[in-house]
Amino acid sequence: MKKNVVERVSKIFFRAEKEGRNFLLEPEVYELLKTYGFGLPRHVFLKKGSYPAAGLLRKLGSKRVVVKVVSPLILHKSEVGGVMVVRATAREVKAAIKKMEKEVPLKFSRQVGGSRKPEEVAESIKGFLVVELVEFEQVGFGSELLLGLRVSRDFGPVVTFGGGGLDVEYLNVHLKEGSSLAILPVTGLAEKKVLSRLEPLAVFGKVAREFRGRKPLVKAEELERVVKTFQQIGKDFSPFNQHSSFTVEELEVNPLVIRQGRLVLLDGLARFSRNKLTFETRSAAQMQKILEPQSIGLIGVSEKMNVGHIILNNIIKNGFNRENIYVVKPGLETIEGCRCFPTVSDLPQAVDLFILTLGADQVYPVMKELVEKEKAHSVIIIAGGLGEKSGTKSIEEDIRSLLSSRKKEGKAAPVINGGNCLGIISVPGKYDSTFIPEYKFKRPEGISAGLAIVSQSGAFMLSRMSTLDRFEPLYAISVGNQLDLTVGDYLNYLKDRPEVRIIAAYIEGFKPGDGWKFCQAAREAVKAGKKVVVYKSGRSPEGRQATASHTASVAGDYAVAKSLLLQAGVMVAETIKDFENFIKALILLEGKKVKGQRVGLISNAGFESVIMADNLKGEDGCLSLAQFTPETEQKIFQALQPLGIDRLQDVHNPLDVTPMADDAAFCSCVEAILADEQVDGMVVSCVPMTAALQTLPPGEAHKENISAEGSLASRLIKIFRESDKPLVVNIDAGRLYDPLCDYLEKSGLLVFRNCDEAVCFLRKYLSWQGN
């Protein structure tokens, strides 16, 4: 049955292609969707020069009809008078057709500034579509729906569903994220999860649930059915599907309306192509050559200190064996204790990794020699500026052509990282190929976190490593322009490395189709128990203007990326700070169990209790205040009673213990709340200026000691380590209290400096971990 459907739809595309079109006329869109089981309005297509008989119009079953011009030139018909609503009589329909035949060519010609002559437009008219005027449920917002399918450059085919009609862009801007439009992949999302992606939509609640005593207008299963049907169309005509000749680039129904519990399409458009995407599978052995090489070659190393020489020094200082480092340097026998060779051809063996540090204009000749002489299994190209011209093609294109030719001939070709990259740091590979001097960049050390960083920007990578200097990554990979190896390739390899537990990626743009590859690898990584964090930049709206449909304008590139990454189990950071905090949390809270979104909040300042409660809800998730059990309330009461605080404050959540609470009372309350079975996570916030708490290191003016047994910090560290629940700490004070924060962080606690930031973070973390 499926094969028959695909064959029938392919014939529609063949006919359009034969006429020189890469899009379907509206009658053809009707035909396509009918083949897939969609409900259509009753309609008739009249070829140019023909008019309907009264009997034919009566079969449409409505007193009034919609007459639409059908032309391959005219996509937005209503803007040029190409749509008219008239009574369903032969005379009025004929008059409407004649009126449009006369006026539409003139209006369209004026609209396009005379680039199309009226005679040319008139000649393009194929005929007219006469459609029943559908009487559908009029409920204001939600009366008209949008259902779309389009091929994202990064992720392949995606399906969108939400409110439609003329207000679609307005609704998308003014409704909060996640409630205006659902964006779904055509593969990789379990069927049972489709409905869960539709339920948060505002329009879903309006039409598929009871609304102010009115029964649902349509069953939820019917909405689910049409979305799944579009997913199937996306699969059948995917750019990744090599079994079908065509790719559906864009398919949209807007509006889709409800009539007697069934969905009926009114207007539709479709574009298609023969574009297909193929992926090269990178073997683990290939990736291991670049990340864990047994031999390294370099070119561009000067006797004086230059980029190449800095890289050589960094490699040596990371413990790589000098005997397995080969430098292409004519006129010298050795440099820094490593052997030198006059040319690439003179290298004694094919090295696992070759690092090319020459200027852009010298890259291609060296690459050509490396490839043709088979002297490298992998290459890192440091140089930027590879987009400059070499003949009629860019240097990058020259290199891609070189690799492609070798592979077509069945010959070996290296994998390439870069260009325009900062290099790679590999702890397992015992090398650092970045060109930052050691005295300018202190390598992170301390906690070995099973962390791998993959970044399109080398500067971003080093900045994050400098900020998170307590956490030593196993790998830090600057991919640069992704001339060959992509972020998807690296994730696909790292997901299978047992020593890697957390993968953090900074991505400005995916190579065509690599977003799909990245999501596939992310699902597998998450399924294997790994965590994936992404900060995606390049969020500008310009790409939304590249299409005639509403689907792309409301489902822009970043919206698609964020939605699909989240559905793949990725933690998507909206800010750089979030990105850093997520990485820290995944390291420091590793092993903590997330069972829900019920939180306990405690502070010694009233303002913090109010502000923390204000930040329980956001577009990225929702926390609820845990209801303490009577046993917990009694423990808190007993902790506060000796200090008389019980007479000042009631026991509730958030709990304000006042500045009178000392180390023991404060931490006894923390311990009681965290142990409560109703509490899933906790924010412990402290304004440390009170004399009742030990919050300073030893000093001449006081007897406090943050590391003393019984101090606030020592007690919190013990509570944190003995609990399996996530707990974060906030210290709302300035530099005087940096030692307290440092002591807590070095002991493994996640510390914030503003209470709202702490709650917002825990909200995002628990919501993501709970999905």
Side-chain angles (χ1 to χ4, degrees):
M1 176 66 182
K2 176 186 169 183
K3 183 179 179 182
N4 186 38
V5 168
V6 172
E7 287 178 350
R8 287 160 59 191
V9 172
S10 294
K11 289 180 180 178
I12 301 173
F13 294 140
F14 274 121
R15 291 199 303 267
E17 186 181 55
K18 195 173 181 180
E19 294 182 7
R21 291 186 278 118
N22 66 345
F23 59 91
L24 301 184
L25 302 175
E26 196 159 10
E28 295 167 329
V29 177
Y30 276 22
E31 185 182 355
L32 183 159
L33 293 172
K34 182 180 179 181
T35 306
Y36 275 94
F38 272 82
L40 302 177
R42 291 176 288 249
H43 64 281
V44 60
F45 175 63
L46 303 173
K47 291 184 179 180
K48 188 176 181 180
S50 61
Y51 305 100
L56 186 62
L57 292 174
R58 280 195 295 271
K59 291 181 180 179
L60 298 182
S62 61
K63 293 181 180 180
R64 301 210 301 168
V65 293
V66 182
V67 183
K68 305 179 184 182
V69 67
V70 176
S71 162
L73 296 181
I74 305 169
L75 297 180
H76 300 289
K77 299 179 282 290
S78 58
E79 294 178 5
V80 292
V83 179
M84 292 182 66
V85 179
V86 298
R87 289 190 299 172
T89 65
R91 188 177 72 176
E92 289 206 18
V93 171
K94 182 178 181 179
I97 290 173
K98 285 190 168 294
K99 179 179 176 67
M100 281 191 275
E101 285 177 330
K102 180 180 180 180
E103 297 180 359
V104 166
L106 294 170
K107 291 180 179 178
F108 183 82
S109 180
R110 285 197 296 269
Q111 186 188 58
V112 297
S115 61
R116 297 280 187 175
K117 295 182 179 180
E119 303 82 45
E120 184 182 0
V121 180
E123 184 66 27
S124 76
I125 295 175
K126 302 287 184 180
F128 294 85
L129 190 64
V130 184
V131 187
E132 65 166 313
L133 186 64
V134 176
E135 299 292 336
F136 59 92
E137 303 289 350
Q138 298 282 350
V139 292
F141 165 62
S143 300
E144 299 179 337
L145 306 173
L146 165 73
L147 180 60
L149 165 69
R150 75 178 178 95
V151 172
S152 157
R153 174 187 175 277
D154 300 343
F155 296 92
V158 294
V159 172
T160 53
F161 177 83
L166 297 177
D167 298 329
V168 56
E169 286 97 347
Y170 179 86
L171 295 172
N172 189 61
V173 169
H174 289 84
L175 287 176
K176 71 176 185 178
E177 184 178 339
S179 66
S180 62
L181 197 73
I183 303 172
L184 305 96
V186 302
T187 59
L189 182 68
E191 285 197 10
K192 62 183 179 181
K193 289 190 175 182
V194 170
L195 190 58
S196 70
R197 300 299 174 190
L198 304 182
E199 288 172 338
L201 298 179
V203 72
F204 182 93
K206 189 76 177 290
V207 301
R209 293 194 182 105
E210 289 189 6
F211 185 79
R212 295 184 178 178
R214 187 206 68 210
K215 291 183 178 180
L217 302 179
V218 64
K219 291 182 178 179
E221 293 76 16
E222 175 69 2
L223 298 178
E224 182 182 31
R225 180 188 69 82
V226 297
V227 169
K228 286 183 176 179
T229 300
F230 260 49
Q231 286 180 310
Q232 187 60 54
I233 297 171
K235 292 177 190 176
D236 291 343
F237 296 96
S238 166
F240 308 126
N241 185 352
Q242 306 300 323
H243 299 293
S244 62
S245 301
F246 295 99
T247 293
V248 172
E249 296 286 350
E250 192 168 19
L251 176 64
E252 182 184 279
V253 175
N254 184 30
L256 185 68
V257 299
I258 302 168
R259 177 170 65 181
Q260 298 175 354
R262 297 285 292 176
L263 293 168
V264 180
L265 72 92
L266 296 190
D267 295 310
L269 63 85
R271 292 188 302 108
F272 64 93
S273 74
R274 288 184 178 267
N275 298 332
K276 294 292 178 181
L277 288 173
T278 57
F279 294 117
E280 184 176 357
T281 303
R282 313 295 187 164
S283 69
Q286 286 178 302
M287 301 302 294
Q288 201 160 8
K289 294 289 187 185
I290 197 168
L291 292 177
E292 297 180 48
Q294 299 302 303
S295 55
I296 295 178
L298 294 93
I299 192 170
V301 180
S302 171
E303 291 183 74
K304 296 180 180 180
M305 198 54 60
N306 70 340
V307 167
H309 205 138
I310 293 170
I311 291 173
L312 176 60
N313 284 345
N314 285 342
I315 292 171
I316 294 169
K317 287 175 182 176
N318 274 261
F320 203 90
N321 190 340
R322 280 182 169 89
E323 292 182 3
N324 296 325
I325 301 175
Y326 310 127
V327 180
V328 177
K329 180 70 176 174
L332 287 182
E333 290 188 5
T334 64
I335 187 168
E336 299 289 357
C338 303
R339 286 181 290 169
C340 296
F341 300 87
T343 67
V344 166
S345 301
D346 292 316
L347 290 173
Q349 66 183 68
V351 294
D352 285 344
L353 170 61
F354 191 91
I355 302 170
L356 206 163
T357 71
L358 298 173
D361 58 334
Q362 297 174 281
V363 167
Y364 182 75
V366 175
M367 276 302 309
K368 190 170 187 293
E369 189 175 4
L370 280 169
V371 171
E372 291 180 349
K373 300 296 182 179
E374 298 185 4
K375 289 295 184 177
H377 298 293
S378 67
V379 181
I380 295 176
I381 300 177
I382 301 294
L386 296 188
E388 63 185 295
K389 297 298 177 182
S390 167
T392 58
K393 299 185 293 183
S394 75
I395 297 170
E396 284 190 358
E397 288 172 345
D398 285 343
I399 295 171
R400 289 193 187 99
S401 297
L402 177 67
L403 299 180
S404 178
S405 298
R406 293 282 297 182
K407 291 168 186 175
K408 286 179 181 178
E409 294 170 4
K411 297 178 181 178
V415 293
I416 300 175
N417 185 85
N420 191 27
C421 77
L422 196 63
I424 293 174
I425 300 172
S426 171
V427 172
K430 296 182 179 179
Y431 80 88
D432 174 356
S433 70
T434 65
F435 53 84
I436 306 301
E438 187 179 38
Y439 64 86
K440 294 289 288 186
F441 175 64
K442 182 179 179 295
R443 269 61 175 177
E445 58 184 9
I447 300 175
S448 181
L451 171 66
I453 301 173
V454 182
S455 177
Q456 200 168 342
S457 163
F460 181 95
M461 178 181 81
L462 290 189
S463 294
R464 305 288 72 73
M465 291 171 67
S466 179
T467 304
L468 302 171
D469 60 355
R470 291 196 177 109
F471 310 108
E472 182 180 358
L474 287 166
Y475 300 100
I477 304 163
S478 164
V479 299
N481 292 353
Q482 304 178 90
L483 183 157
D484 182 36
L485 290 176
T486 65
V487 289
D489 289 323
Y490 280 109
L491 181 59
N492 196 50
Y493 173 74
L494 294 170
K495 70 177 173 57
D496 296 322
R497 299 300 300 171
E499 72 275 17
V500 174
R501 303 191 299 278
I502 301 165
I503 302 153
Y506 168 72
I507 302 166
E508 293 172 354
F510 290 101
K511 288 297 180 180
D514 195 55
W516 180 87
K517 184 194 292 186
F518 188 93
C519 285
Q520 295 293 96
R523 287 189 190 92
E524 295 178 28
V526 171
K527 189 176 180 181
K530 300 182 191 296
K531 309 298 183 184
V532 183
V533 184
V534 167
Y535 182 83
K536 174 72 174 68
S537 64
R539 309 177 187 185
S540 61
E542 281 75 14
R544 301 181 188 183
Q545 302 172 7
T547 178
S549 77
H550 292 291
T551 302
S553 63
V554 298
D557 291 340
Y558 179 68
V560 170
K562 181 179 179 180
S563 181
L564 298 190
L565 288 168
L566 286 171
Q567 291 176 63
V570 173
M571 181 180 279
V572 180
E574 289 293 334
T575 65
I576 294 175
K577 193 65 178 176
D578 275 349
F579 185 73
E580 293 175 347
N581 285 337
F582 285 153
I583 292 172
K584 286 198 292 187
L586 290 172
I587 296 169
L588 298 177
L589 299 180
E590 187 175 22
K592 304 297 184 184
K593 299 176 182 177
V594 175
K595 298 177 181 178
Q597 279 83 43
R598 301 169 301 176
V599 293
L601 307 175
I602 185 173
S603 175
N604 62 349
F607 84 90
E608 287 194 332
S609 298
V610 176
I611 291 174
M612 288 193 292
D614 282 343
N615 284 278
L616 292 169
K617 297 180 181 180
E619 292 184 359
D620 45 36
C622 180
L623 298 176
S624 62
L625 289 173
Q627 182 69 46
F628 297 151
T629 64
E631 291 79 9
T632 299
E633 291 181 349
Q634 182 62 27
K635 290 178 183 176
I636 294 172
F637 180 81
Q638 290 173 351
L640 300 179
Q641 190 177 34
L643 299 172
I645 302 173
D646 62 305
R647 297 192 300 272
L648 302 175
Q649 295 288 89
D650 293 327
V651 175
H652 52 66
N653 193 12
L655 179 65
D656 176 8
V657 296
T658 80
M660 294 170 59
D662 60 16
D663 303 275
F666 191 102
C667 292
S668 292
C669 292
V670 172
E671 190 171 17
I673 293 171
L674 196 60
D676 194 314
E677 61 184 14
Q678 302 292 332
V679 173
D680 300 313
M682 190 170 183
V683 176
V684 177
S685 192
C686 167
V687 177
M689 294 80 164
T690 174
L693 296 174
Q694 293 193 69
T695 54
L696 293 173
E700 294 180 1
H702 59 81
K703 295 182 179 180
E704 293 187 20
N705 184 353
I706 55 176
S707 61
E709 185 177 353
S711 70
L712 174 76
S714 297
R715 291 172 185 268
L716 286 177
I717 291 165
K718 184 174 183 292
I719 292 169
F720 175 79
R721 289 175 177 172
E722 292 178 352
S723 175
D724 65 353
K725 297 178 183 179
L727 175 150
V728 301
V729 175
N730 176 64
I731 305 296
D732 193 353
R735 288 179 295 173
L736 181 63
Y737 297 92
D738 286 352
L740 171 62
C741 297
D742 290 341
Y743 181 65
L744 289 169
E745 281 209 335
K746 285 179 180 178
S747 300
L749 277 76
L750 185 60
V751 179
F752 294 87
R753 302 305 290 266
N754 297 106
C755 63
D756 56 345
E757 184 183 353
V759 174
C760 288
F761 168 77
L762 192 63
R763 182 184 71 220
K764 297 171 186 176
Y765 180 80
L766 293 184
S767 298
W768 176 73
Q769 289 279 55
N771 287 335

